Amino acid sequence: MPIPADAKASNALFHPFYVPVAVFIGGTSGVGQGMVEAFARYVKGRAHIIIVGRNEYAASEIIGHFPKPAAGETSDWTHEFVPCDVSLMANVRAACALIRTKVERVNFLVLTAGYSSLVSTALTSEGLDLLLAMRYYYRFVFIQELLPLVQAAQALGQDAKVMSVLGAGLGSPKRPIDLDNLGNTVKERSGRIRVAIRSMMQAWGYTDAMMAHFATRNPAIAFTHIHPGAVHTPGLRIDLDGLLTPLSWLINLILPWLSVSQDQAAEHMLYALFTGERGLFIRDRYGDVISSLEFEAPVDLRDSNETSVLNGVPMTGYGASDLGVRRIMEQTEAVTRAQ
Ligand SMILES: NC(=O)c1ccc[n+]([C@@H]2O[C@H](COP(=O)([O-])OP(=O)(O)OC[C@H]3O[C@@H](n4cnc5c(N)ncnc54)[C@H](OP(=O)(O)O)[C@@H]3O)[C@@H](O)[C@H]2O)c1
């Protein structure tokens, strides 16, 4: 486990021979903000950094504090904001189309935007479970749409890395994904808290499955699903209502004392982003590898329904099965497809 000082020392070694292109979806707050700020510091501003989110004011404040390369040193850098409400997949596709007009490669695609609720069980206007849209589907669409740019970076011999910050390492053979309720819209949606918890937990296993899917198809790229642990951010809160409101007050009072700062978490997340060249990585809050798998060539997964086993290899903390990956991908591609 790298202590923050070790993670920082490791991150400080990041000196790419090229000007990196990094896209941070969710860089306007919390863990994503900590990551994009630290990234900009490590490259001394010499990068094309794109922050994606809704809050343009927060983005311009963050970008305003990035270091800027000295005049004459290099002109090959840009720091910019792309607006997008990721709850709708049409918005995500539009943002990706805009990003494709700005850059020809992406070295680092970091997905931290998220939303948690114990009481919200809405469906979006596109018919998706809102919690799954905000925690999982948007990540799939961003990766799918920007993958050619990540592949272009890899073809140039540069870093080519995709990271999803959510809930890695929580998969277990005792908790298989419910393949009869894909998208959490098949089974009856009664009991708000139960439905919300179902969505939030499904997002962890679906993200494992999605990252495994992309890793098996793109053996030369690193796909990481990581858990940030408890981090003191605006997103660290419980939103119970009604009679349970006092309980959420109490929990929300205690949570900050149990969490680390977003800057501290960001160092561990960046440590994980910079290390690990290719394959699938399931990582913990320190950036340490819980399990990982490299592929020599693209792999077609088959029909095994054994949870925490990928292509015949046991994977600690991995929440999907080979059949699960296939079924989840079929469902995801169907419901996120442009209408
Ligand atoms: N904090 C923790 O303790 C913790 C623990 C476990 C897992 N996580 C996971 O880590 C990730 C980051 O969490 P965090 O606590 O850092 O979150 P946060 O501080 O609440 O920040 C959330 C980010 O998501 C973006 N976002 C929210 N709704 C959006 C929307 N509709 N469209 C576009 N962007 C949207 C926000 O940007 P805009 O406001 O600009 O839209 C913001 O940048 C999340 O996936 C979360 O589930 C966090």
Side-chain angles (χ1 to χ4, degrees):
M1 163 186 109
I3 59 169
D6 287 350
K8 271 188 181 182
S10 171
N11 295 339
L13 298 175
F14 179 62
H15 296 300
F17 64 89
Y18 59 91
V19 177
V21 179
V23 181
F24 290 85
I25 293 103
T28 54
S29 170
V31 178
Q33 177 184 355
M35 287 184 76
V36 74
E37 288 173 342
F39 185 90
R41 269 198 317 276
Y42 284 122
V43 297
K44 300 184 175 63
R46 185 175 168 264
H48 191 146
I49 299 175
I50 300 176
I51 295 179
V52 181
R54 293 167 304 175
N55 191 336
E56 184 163 9
Y57 177 76
S60 59
E61 284 285 299
I62 292 164
I63 288 172
H65 288 96
F66 284 172
K68 309 279 185 269
E73 196 182 324
T74 172
S75 57
D76 202 3
W77 60 273
T78 310
H79 306 153
E80 62 183 323
F81 173 67
V82 166
C84 181
D85 179 338
V86 305
S87 61
L88 292 179
M89 301 310 119
N91 295 346
V92 175
R93 282 191 293 273
C96 290
L98 181 58
I99 291 169
R100 285 194 297 264
T101 66
K102 294 173 178 290
V103 290
E104 290 176 349
R105 63 186 157 88
V106 170
N107 300 101
F108 300 98
L109 175 58
V110 180
L111 303 122
T112 61
Y115 169 67
S116 311
S117 171
L118 282 176
V119 295
S120 168
T121 56
L123 295 181
T124 68
S125 59
E126 294 175 330
L128 302 181
D129 176 291
L130 173 64
L131 281 162
L132 275 175
M134 289 296 308
R135 291 164 70 83
Y136 164 67
Y137 290 120
Y138 92 82
R139 296 175 200 247
F140 171 80
V141 178
F142 264 112
I143 299 173
Q144 188 186 50
E145 295 274 322
L146 297 183
L147 191 57
L149 302 188
V150 182
Q151 290 166 335
Q154 192 278 324
L156 292 168
Q158 303 175 357
D159 289 294
K161 300 180 174 180
V162 179
M163 171 178 275
S164 189
V165 179
L166 186 66
L170 302 164
S172 156
K174 291 186 196 136
R175 282 191 300 275
I177 289 171
D178 183 355
L179 297 182
D180 296 326
N181 189 26
L182 289 177
N184 203 15
T185 49
V186 182
K187 289 188 176 165
E188 198 188 336
R189 292 170 65 86
S190 62
R192 284 182 310 160
I193 294 182
R194 195 170 45 141
V195 175
I197 289 176
R198 229 158 53 189
S199 294
M200 293 204 286
M201 290 177 66
Q202 276 177 327
W204 303 331
Y206 289 13
T207 301
D208 280 346
M210 168 184 76
M211 296 308 250
H213 163 77
F214 285 117
T216 55
R217 301 290 167 95
N218 300 274
I221 295 174
F223 291 89
T224 298
H225 181 197
I226 191 164
H227 193 306
V231 189
H232 192 185
T233 68
L236 183 69
R237 60 176 181 85
I238 301 288
D239 65 345
L240 295 167
D241 60 6
L243 289 175
L244 294 173
T245 306
L247 180 62
S248 62
W249 290 342
L250 185 66
I251 296 172
N252 291 333
L253 265 181
I254 295 168
L255 280 176
W257 298 95
L258 303 176
S259 56
V260 300
S261 74
Q262 66 187 41
D263 292 340
Q264 194 172 329
E267 293 293 348
H268 286 122
M269 301 298 104
L270 279 189
Y271 166 81
L273 184 68
F274 292 152
T275 56
E277 294 306 312
R278 54 203 288 271
L280 173 69
F281 296 87
I282 306 292
R283 295 189 186 244
D284 67 15
R285 63 194 166 125
Y286 302 110
D288 281 335
V289 175
I290 301 170
S291 55
S292 66
L293 194 56
E294 287 187 9
F295 305 91
E296 290 312 315
V299 166
D300 279 330
L301 297 177
R302 304 192 74 82
D303 286 335
S304 162
N305 200 12
E306 234 184 309
T307 300
S308 299
V309 176
L310 175 56
N311 199 33
V313 180
M315 297 273 291
T316 305
Y318 170 71
S321 65
D322 291 0
L323 180 66
V325 172
R326 288 179 36 205
R327 295 277 309 280
I328 290 161
M329 285 305 105
E330 282 163 17
Q331 188 269 352
T332 300
E333 279 165 12
V335 299
T336 60
R337 196 170 290 144
Q339 301 302 311

